[in-house]
Amino acid sequence: MQFRRKLLQFIFTFIFPVAFVAFLPVRVIMGDMGLPWAVLIPVIAGVFYWLSKKGWQIGLRHYGSSGT
């Protein structure tokens, strides 16, 4: 069980981020994706980052812990 947890942690920490970071530049270099998409995708990612950050802040404001 511990091995599986460590393996998944490694995959989601190192393998997936590298794949996502490498995807866009490779597609642009190979000519599969035009320049408008190369600009639009990071903008969309920024919008989703901003929305998730705002959602996190709203959640923190409404958070009430239980216990002592």
Side-chain angles (χ1 to χ4, degrees):
M1 185 68 168
Q2 184 68 17
F3 174 73
R4 185 185 311 185
R5 184 179 306 164
K6 290 292 183 184
L7 179 64
L8 288 175
Q9 182 180 4
F10 177 79
I11 289 172
F12 284 109
T13 302
F14 297 107
I15 305 298
F16 278 1
V18 169
F20 284 115
V21 169
F23 173 77
L24 182 62
V26 168
R27 297 302 266 183
V28 171
I29 290 170
M30 293 183 69
D32 294 340
M33 185 181 301
L35 189 59
W37 281 107
V39 173
L40 187 61
I41 289 173
V43 170
I44 292 170
V47 169
F48 277 105
Y49 170 75
W50 181 81
L51 287 171
S52 66
K53 188 174 178 180
K54 287 298 173 187
W56 179 261
Q57 290 171 345
I58 290 169
L60 284 178
R61 274 199 310 265
H62 295 289
Y63 175 73
S65 64
S66 62
T68 57

